[in-house]
Amino acid sequence: MDQKVIPIRAAQEPRERKRQAPKGRRVDPAALAEVQALLGELPRRRDLLIEHLHLIQDRYRQLSSRHLAALAHEMRMSQAEVYEVATFYHHFDVVRDAGDQGETKPAELTVRVCQSLSCQMAGADELFGQLSAVLDTNVRVVSAPCVGRCEQAPVAVVGQHAIPAASLDQVSDAIASGNVEEPLPLYEDYDAYRRNGGYALLQACVNGERDVEEVIRVLEDSGLRGLGGAGFPAGRKWRIVRAEAGPRLMAVNIDEGEPGTFKDRTYLERQPHQFLEGMMIAAWAVGIDDIYIYLRDEYHGCRALLQRELARLENNPPVHVMPTVHLRRGAGAYICGEESAMIESIEGKRGMPRLRPPYVAQVGLFGRPTLEHNFETLYWVPTLLQQGAAWFAAQGRHGRKGLRSFSVSGRVKKPGVHVAPAGITIQELIDEYCGGMQDGHRLYAYLPGGASGGILPASLNDIPLDFDTLQAYGCFIGSAAIIVLSDTDSAMDAARNMMHFFAEESCGQCTPCRAGTVKTLQLISGSDWNEALLADLSMVMREASICGLGQAAPNPVDCVIKYFSHELDHKGVQP
């Protein structure tokens, strides 16, 4: 007799339930209401994650677990995604619950003391110690990597207000008076720029008085190269991106995190519209409708300036067709000076460099062909088109062509941005533009290209400073960040400062850089360096790191071994 089989699927198979929210921590209704109030009508797009994190940080002085969970819920993202981005950037203060104690109460105010080489030489360590000892417990004192004001060393940032040549009394006075916001710099605004003939070149381009081919040829004939460090020919880059299928985008790098460089900030604080006009001309020539400006978080006054002037441009445009400009705020990450890491950050992600190919010009921001430029490169465009390629190319010295903006800091009488002929030597730069060495100081060494550009001795003071002239000496010019050391300084100490910076700023993506910078810093902590092991580390970092941070990080150490061996005897110069 056949037996009837009764299915029991209902008892064996679990009932599938739809998830109502992303997996993770339960959302506190009060925190969700606070986040919703902050975001208001702003879009909840993924690429705005960092902007939204800034809103919370600015309002509550920290990023709590409850607010991060609420933001993840509001943006329909996993909490892990939000948390990994928030913890990647130095300027986000992420705190966790402390059990029954609740969340950590944020400090009323944060004071950051710059620890870059220029500031350290000017007494930043002593200032940090003084502030830590005497300031109220409600004020948090932290050391910070370079804040982009090396000519004003030592620098302390009280809240968002950078104090040049800072002292204990100045910082205390700023705290007592509540002077914690960066003031707007004195600059040439939109109306003044227009009165002086500004945007006439852009009008000529848009009206057909200037031909795209003519404009690009001027850039090519002038020899203008990318002035953020890589030095790729600007005109060639315009041609490459223009040849790609649209829509095309532009990303402008004003992260300027290289210790020793501050030229972009200096120009932006004085003549923002010269840069903006150059940017608009580039967008016209390449065929770009959307521009993303990535500005480092330390430049609070510059951000307010740009917001004001971009609004004036939008309300009273000089031409009938204007690209849309998006201003994005960095969050404290040196690695975002690398073009693909910057693009990742603009997209709301951790700033980790991409593998190449494909290149940014082909697959860049949001997967589109992207023209990526440094601020200063675009700043020169109007001048070049007015003066002509021959004028610019004729400005060089010692067989080089063009002009360079040298950010000079350290032991000179007149630190600052000095526009000088490309190919000038360090001795000529100091004597002719910087007022000579400080009294009682003699040139001992110099960094020709910031933290990653290496260290050269005073005996090599006759090398032309330009692209392609320093590689034979184990150095490069990069963004032309010149730090001058005197006979009161130590090249070993300078290398330690640089390597500490690199170890802190490595994004951690690749092992050669992540582990190599930390191991190198350990090996150079004393005066008896293991040169064979350091050489092996240098080779691995140069050959296997994904991006220029790990590839260039060994430069200061390699230069000390090559040029300053007298500091490495076994009795040593104590750190």
Side-chain angles (χ1 to χ4, degrees):
M1 181 175 177
D2 294 336
Q3 294 183 344
K4 187 176 181 180
V5 178
I6 300 175
I8 55 172
R9 288 192 304 273
Q12 293 178 337
E13 297 177 3
R15 183 177 299 171
E16 188 174 329
R17 301 173 64 182
K18 271 193 173 181
R19 187 176 300 282
Q20 299 301 313
K23 184 179 179 181
R25 176 191 177 101
R26 288 185 179 275
V27 177
D28 178 359
L32 181 60
E34 290 168 345
V35 168
Q36 289 172 336
L38 278 176
L39 268 56
E41 298 300 319
L42 293 172
R44 270 57 168 175
R45 299 195 315 267
R46 168 60 195 265
D47 63 289
L48 292 173
L49 173 60
I50 293 173
E51 297 295 309
H52 296 341
L53 288 170
H54 273 302
L55 289 175
I56 300 172
Q57 173 84 34
D58 290 346
R59 171 63 179 83
Y60 296 101
R61 304 190 303 280
Q62 65 182 19
L63 297 176
S64 64
S65 298
R66 53 195 290 272
H67 283 138
L68 291 177
L71 181 62
H73 175 87
E74 187 68 11
M75 298 187 70
R76 308 300 297 170
M77 295 174 61
S78 74
Q79 293 183 28
E81 288 179 287
V82 174
Y83 185 81
E84 72 176 9
V85 172
T87 53
F88 181 85
Y89 296 92
H90 295 311
H91 291 182
F92 291 141
D93 186 14
V94 180
V95 296
R96 294 187 178 187
D97 285 340
D100 295 336
Q101 305 294 322
E103 289 179 336
T104 305
K105 183 180 179 181
E108 293 295 326
L109 184 67
T110 296
V111 176
R112 289 183 168 86
V113 180
C114 181
Q115 296 294 321
S116 71
L117 179 58
S118 299
C119 283
Q120 191 177 70
M121 290 161 59
D125 290 342
E126 293 82 356
L127 177 62
F128 181 85
Q130 292 171 347
L131 294 172
S132 301
V134 304
L135 291 185
D136 189 273
T137 54
N138 287 329
V139 178
R140 182 178 64 151
V141 182
V142 298
S143 61
C146 185
V147 298
R149 298 178 180 272
C150 308
E151 85 282 21
Q152 303 170 5
V155 178
V157 182
V158 180
Q160 296 183 345
H161 183 199
I163 299 178
S167 67
L168 175 60
D169 289 342
Q170 288 175 309
V171 174
S172 300
D173 289 346
I175 295 171
S177 64
N179 188 12
V180 297
E181 294 293 332
E182 186 75 26
L184 275 177
L186 296 175
Y187 65 94
E188 185 181 35
D189 66 10
Y190 180 66
D191 293 336
Y193 187 71
R194 291 294 300 272
R195 286 195 301 270
N196 293 326
Y199 292 105
L201 279 169
L202 176 63
Q203 291 171 338
C205 291
V206 173
N207 295 337
E209 299 170 37
R210 291 268 189 159
D211 177 74
V212 170
E213 178 62 31
E214 170 204 349
V215 168
I216 295 178
R217 193 181 303 117
V218 169
L219 265 64
E220 291 174 331
D221 293 346
S222 70
L224 180 68
R225 297 172 65 168
L227 298 173
F232 193 86
R236 189 191 309 171
K237 182 181 287 190
W238 289 21
R239 287 195 188 279
I240 290 172
V241 179
R242 180 177 168 81
E244 295 290 327
R248 310 172 197 92
L249 303 174
M250 184 191 299
V252 182
N253 192 337
I254 322 181
D255 190 62
E256 195 172 46
E258 183 74 22
T261 188
F262 44 89
K263 58 184 177 61
D264 295 347
R265 189 208 84 236
T266 300
Y267 288 137
L268 182 53
E269 289 178 338
R270 296 174 184 174
Q271 292 180 300
H273 285 281
Q274 180 171 328
F275 149 68
L276 291 173
E277 184 171 17
M279 181 181 78
M280 298 293 179
I281 291 171
W284 162 80
V286 179
I288 288 168
D289 294 326
D290 283 270
I291 302 171
Y292 290 78
I293 299 176
Y294 189 82
L295 180 69
R296 72 177 303 184
D297 192 33
E298 290 87 345
Y299 293 171
H300 297 283
C302 290
R303 185 169 64 255
L305 178 162
L306 275 175
Q307 288 171 336
R308 174 183 292 188
E309 297 308 309
L310 286 171
R312 289 175 174 174
L313 261 178
E314 184 177 351
N315 293 332
N316 184 21
V319 293
H320 63 280
V321 178
M322 293 279 288
T324 302
V325 180
H326 310 265
L327 181 59
R328 294 297 175 86
R329 180 178 174 183
Y334 167 71
I335 190 63
C336 289
E338 196 275 341
E339 63 176 6
S340 65
M342 176 190 67
I343 284 173
E344 290 286 297
S345 189
I346 292 173
E347 293 180 355
K349 305 172 188 174
R350 293 176 295 169
M352 289 189 165
R354 298 175 178 177
L355 293 172
R356 297 178 180 84
Y359 295 95
V360 166
Q362 302 161 317
V363 182
L365 190 56
F366 306 121
R368 300 308 310 164
T370 302
L371 178 66
E372 190 276 340
H373 264 315
N374 167 258
F375 171 96
E376 192 198 354
T377 310
L378 296 169
Y379 179 84
W380 279 108
V381 168
T383 302
L384 280 174
L385 294 179
Q386 289 172 335
Q387 302 291 339
W391 167 83
F392 186 78
Q395 301 300 312
R397 191 179 291 188
H398 302 301
R400 311 303 298 178
K401 294 182 179 181
L403 293 168
R404 292 301 303 266
S405 301
F406 293 94
S407 303
V408 185
S409 62
R411 307 294 190 184
V412 295
K413 288 182 177 178
K414 295 180 181 178
V417 175
H418 299 287
V419 179
I424 194 171
T425 68
I426 185 63
Q427 195 65 59
E428 292 168 339
L429 186 63
I430 292 172
D431 293 343
E432 298 176 28
Y433 291 85
C434 302
M437 297 290 291
Q438 293 176 356
D439 293 338
H441 292 265
R442 180 168 50 87
L443 178 63
Y444 172 69
Y446 64 103
L447 283 70
S452 55
I455 309 174
L456 291 172
S459 59
L460 294 177
N461 64 348
D462 58 351
I463 303 172
L465 298 175
D466 196 14
F467 294 114
D468 310 321
T469 61
L470 295 161
Q471 282 83 338
Y473 302 91
C475 299
F476 59 83
I477 194 169
S479 59
I482 311 293
I483 305 177
V484 179
L485 280 61
S486 79
D487 50 356
T488 65
D489 303 309
S490 162
M492 288 176 66
D493 288 342
R496 291 189 191 100
N497 181 286
M498 299 295 99
M499 193 53 64
H500 180 268
F501 174 82
F502 290 131
E504 288 290 319
E505 294 296 329
S506 172
C507 75
Q509 180 176 190
C510 64
T511 302
C513 178
R514 180 183 65 249
T517 52
V518 173
K519 182 63 176 179
T520 301
L521 183 59
Q522 293 172 348
L523 289 172
I524 66 174
S525 60
S527 57
D528 187 6
W529 293 8
N530 186 332
E531 296 182 27
L533 184 52
L534 285 169
D536 286 344
L537 268 175
S538 174
M539 184 270 294
V540 171
M541 292 172 67
R542 293 179 188 281
E543 296 295 328
S545 294
I546 291 174
C547 80
L549 192 156
Q551 294 163 8
N555 281 342
V557 173
D558 289 351
C559 284
V560 169
I561 294 172
K562 184 175 182 179
Y563 298 114
F564 301 92
S565 59
H566 59 281
E567 290 193 20
L568 296 174
D569 61 33
H570 292 292
K571 292 181 181 179
V573 176
Q574 295 302 317

